Amino acid sequence: MNDYIAEKQTANWLKQNGMNEGSFMAMDALFVQAQQISHNLIKHNLALLNETQIALLNGYLTKASNKATRRTLTSNNAYAVMKIGKQINRQLFKAYKAINTSR
């Protein structure tokens, strides 16, 4: 595999996870992880979120996507997104467990 194909695949993966190469390289790992969690929750688990959670996740994505507002993000913002991700993950696991124990 040559470098061009690998770079194209990397850019495609980043796009699927709601990021671009420039913001990915400029952000700390904590903020990148929170951005990925926020994007995936909105994309795949929107039905499990309430209005305040959706607003918080959309606000985080908006701030993370803009270079000027990205500087205002704090670790508390990232941890709030991760907390929501943990709550939804627990709900999904309980539903999965209920399905598998009922068999």
Side-chain angles (χ1 to χ4, degrees):
M1 180 180 332
N2 61 20
D3 289 340
Y4 175 73
I5 295 173
E7 288 177 13
K8 192 174 180 180
Q9 288 176 342
T10 302
N12 189 27
W13 182 85
L14 288 171
K15 185 177 179 182
Q16 289 174 350
N17 286 288
M19 294 175 262
N20 61 25
E21 293 177 49
S23 65
F24 180 75
M25 299 301 273
M27 293 173 67
D28 290 336
L30 176 70
F31 300 115
V32 171
Q33 186 178 12
Q35 184 179 7
Q36 183 181 12
I37 290 169
S38 151
H39 173 76
N40 286 331
L41 284 173
I42 290 174
K43 185 176 180 182
H44 300 293
N45 301 310
L46 191 61
L48 298 175
L49 299 169
N50 62 32
E51 291 179 14
T52 57
Q53 291 173 331
I54 293 170
L56 189 134
L57 294 173
N58 280 328
Y60 185 85
L61 285 176
T62 302
K63 285 183 179 180
S65 65
N66 188 344
K67 185 177 181 180
T69 58
R70 191 179 308 138
R71 295 182 186 141
T72 64
L73 289 175
T74 63
S75 59
N76 288 338
N77 298 118
Y79 289 131
V81 169
M82 291 180 183
K83 183 178 176 183
I84 293 170
K86 188 185 343 180
Q87 291 170 350
I88 299 302
N89 194 26
R90 286 179 182 159
Q91 288 178 12
L92 290 171
F93 182 75
K94 285 179 184 177
Y96 176 76
K97 189 175 177 183
I99 289 170
N100 285 336
T101 57
S102 66
R103 288 184 183 180

